[in-house]
Amino acid sequence: MEGCVLAALGVFFVQSGGLLTGGTPGLALVAHQFLPLTLGSVLILVNLPFFLLGLKQLGWWFTLVSLACLGATAAMIDILNLLMTLAIPTWLSAILGGSFIGFGLVLVLGQGASLGGLNILAVSLAKHVSPSVTLLVTDALIISAGLFWLPLEQVLMSLLTVAAMTSVLARYRKAPKPTPQVTGQLAET
């Protein structure tokens, strides 16, 4: 649960700064610009196809636990948006948002679950493409999409968000605890 709270707080910081991040939170932030739904709802919708893929690749247990984590994170994002307004410098939103997302992912992944999305895609494609390459390419595409409506400064700060998240993941991520359905593939992300 702590990982979900930290990830939600990170996405809230990123959103409050008018920034993007990688993964499905980044996709949700892009789609949220065009959909009349809460960010948490969009995050769940964006993740659904990846969870269907994850069900086949990683099994029921991993998928159910990860769906619960995603639901908790999405709900907390919406609650934060209802209760708070954040006014801090954009660079601080980028660093804190990316770091909170990174630490949240470390905790969730360490419990043998995921917050879904592109991590599941990366694991599924791991036999053909390195997960780090898959995530790098998809994150670059998501941040690049911001060039269509965000000022260049905010796009560059969005890169700082991804850098902070990646730095935390690289430094603190350990292999997940084994669960009945999770294979060693998850450790490759």
Side-chain angles (χ1 to χ4, degrees):
M1 186 61 116
E2 297 89 351
C4 299
V5 171
L6 288 173
L9 192 58
V11 172
F12 176 71
F13 270 80
V14 170
Q15 181 187 22
S16 296
L19 303 172
L20 294 174
T21 189
T24 50
L27 284 175
L29 286 163
V30 170
H32 186 251
Q33 299 294 316
F34 308 104
L35 296 173
L37 301 170
T38 65
L39 180 57
S41 299
V42 175
L43 182 62
I44 289 172
L45 288 174
V46 165
N47 270 290
L48 287 179
F50 298 107
F51 274 106
L52 292 174
L53 177 65
L55 181 61
K56 182 177 186 232
Q57 297 287 324
L58 301 169
W60 279 99
W61 177 254
F62 176 83
T63 302
L64 289 175
V65 172
S66 296
L67 272 170
C69 289
L70 174 65
T73 302
M76 284 182 248
I77 290 168
D78 287 346
I79 290 168
L80 286 169
N81 275 305
L82 285 173
L83 298 179
M84 297 174 56
T85 301
L86 187 64
I88 61 173
T90 305
W91 63 268
L92 191 55
S93 287
I95 293 170
L96 291 176
S99 296
F100 283 142
I101 293 169
F103 280 116
L105 286 171
V106 165
L107 292 174
V108 170
L109 292 170
Q111 295 300 312
S114 171
L115 292 176
L118 297 175
N119 292 324
I120 292 173
L121 177 66
V123 169
S124 298
L125 295 175
K127 292 180 182 174
H128 308 288
V129 181
S130 167
S132 59
V133 171
T134 301
L135 294 173
L136 177 65
V137 169
T138 55
D139 287 353
L141 291 171
I142 292 165
I143 300 297
S144 296
L147 290 169
F148 290 104
W149 77 89
L150 292 175
L152 182 60
E153 178 184 344
Q154 284 177 277
V155 173
L156 294 175
M157 288 294 159
S158 296
L159 291 173
L160 183 57
T161 297
V162 173
M165 177 182 62
T166 304
S167 174
V168 168
L169 283 168
R171 185 171 185 147
Y172 296 103
R173 173 117 191 323
K174 295 178 183 173
K177 291 180 180 178
T179 61
Q181 298 291 325
V182 177
T183 66
Q185 293 173 335
L186 189 59
E188 297 173 15
T189 61

